[in-house]
């Protein structure tokens, strides 16, 4: 509409008397200015709505927040009119006194930064630190995928900003690995299992039992968590398997023989390496019954 109104001026100049032309042109310019100011105000209102979106309950399973979907879809649709919006912001942003930037691209980045801060605050609703990181990773990955799928918004925000966001999401992945699976790897260390050069069977039984209990708890909890992005879900599972399965296989190969012949050995050595892979494949499905299914299979 903004472009259409301004496009009327040449036609009026060709078809009207001088006095009428001046009056009509002035009215058109005023109408165009009002539309431009209204466009700027819409983005200022979007910023305020993000700032005021305060949640009391976390999204179940750490899934993508509805606010993230709304804001990103809004910005992508807006970027279809980026050339016009750039002209509008250059001309009208300062006149409204409500937005801090006179560039639509800068306004876009400001809005996304506000979304980041809002999501960071919402992540604190999760008591589990690993789930907090999964939530941030899910939302960060969703934003990246939206940017990747829209050349207009990608160009508007620039490669540097996109790479920075990619780095942040990768760091979330590392933080999750450390928070959840670093504790599992600690159990598989050999410290405290040898006394006078011999394996302490009581300590070894307790170590195997602790590993099994921790795997049960992780699977019970994290099978209910949500990672809708199939590529991210696969990347998480592959990275977990690459660390945990070799470590457990080596631990099993080194120490299982010391419990051969012991009574009720299955109470301690509950899982084989293939079982661990099955458990990992059940993570992030958002399915609380997946653990029972994996045991039946």
């Amino acid at each position: 509409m903004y472009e259409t109104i301004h496009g009327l001026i040449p036609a009026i100049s060709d078809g009207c008397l001088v006095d009428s032309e001046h009056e009509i042109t002035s009215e058109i310019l005023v109408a165009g200015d009002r539309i431009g100011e209204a466009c700027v105000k819409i983005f200022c209102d979007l910023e305020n709505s993000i700032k005021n979106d305060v949640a009391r309950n976390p999204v179940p399973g750490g899934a993508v927040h509805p606010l993230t979907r709304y804001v990103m879809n809004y910005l992508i649709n807006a970027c279809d009119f980026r050339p016009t919006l750039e002209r509008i912001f250059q001309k009208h942003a300062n006149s409204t006194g409500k937005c801090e930037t006179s560039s639509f691209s800068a306004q876009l980045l400001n809005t996304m930064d506000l979304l980041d801060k809002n999501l960071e605050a919402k992540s604190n609703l999760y008591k589990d630190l690993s789930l907090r990181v999964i939530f941030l990773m899910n939302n960060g990955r969703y934003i990246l995928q939206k940017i990747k799928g829209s050349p207009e918004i990608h160009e508007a925000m620039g490669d540097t900003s996109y790479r920075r966001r990619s780095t942040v999401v990768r760091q979330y992945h590392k933080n999750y690995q450390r928070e959840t699976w670093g504790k599992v790897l600690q159990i598989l260390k050999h410290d405290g299992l040898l006394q006078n050069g011999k394996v302490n069977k009581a300590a070894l039984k307790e170590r195997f039992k602790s590993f099994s209990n921790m795997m049960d708890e992780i699977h019970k909890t994290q099978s209910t968590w949500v990672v809708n992005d199939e590529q991210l879900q696969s990347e998480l599972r592959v990275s977990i398997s690459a660390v945990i399965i070799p470590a457990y296989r080596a631990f099993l190969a080194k120490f299982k023989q010391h419990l051969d012949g012991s009574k009720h050995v299955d109470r301690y050595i509950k899982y084989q390496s293939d079982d661990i892979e099955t458990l990992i494949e059940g993570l992030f499905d958002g399915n609380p019954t997946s653990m029972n299914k994996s045991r039946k299979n």
Side-chain angles (χ1 to χ4, degrees), residues 132-147:
R132 184 181 302 175
V133 177
I134 288 290
F135 171 76
L136 291 171
M137 195 188 324
N138 271 326
N139 284 271
R141 183 61 168 256
Y142 179 86
I143 292 171
L144 284 175
Q145 292 300 98
K146 282 292 186 179
I147 296 170

Side-chain angles (χ1 to χ4, degrees), residues 120-161:
E120 185 70 36
K122 284 180 168 60
S123 73
N124 292 323
L125 295 171
Y126 298 97
K127 295 180 180 179
D128 189 311
L129 294 180
S130 293
L131 182 53
R132 184 181 302 175
V133 177
I134 288 290
F135 171 76
L136 291 171
M137 195 188 324
N138 271 326
N139 284 271
R141 183 61 168 256
Y142 179 86
I143 292 171
L144 284 175
Q145 292 300 98
K146 282 292 186 179
I147 296 170
K148 185 178 180 181
S150 171
E152 292 80 11
I153 196 171
H154 195 157
E155 182 181 353
M157 70 180 298
D159 287 336
T160 300
S161 180

Side-chain angles (χ1 to χ4, degrees), residues 183-196:
K183 298 173 183 177
V184 177
L185 291 175
Q186 286 293 325
I187 293 176
L188 297 177
K189 287 188 174 182
H190 302 173
D191 301 350
L193 294 178
L194 297 177
Q195 287 185 344
N196 300 321

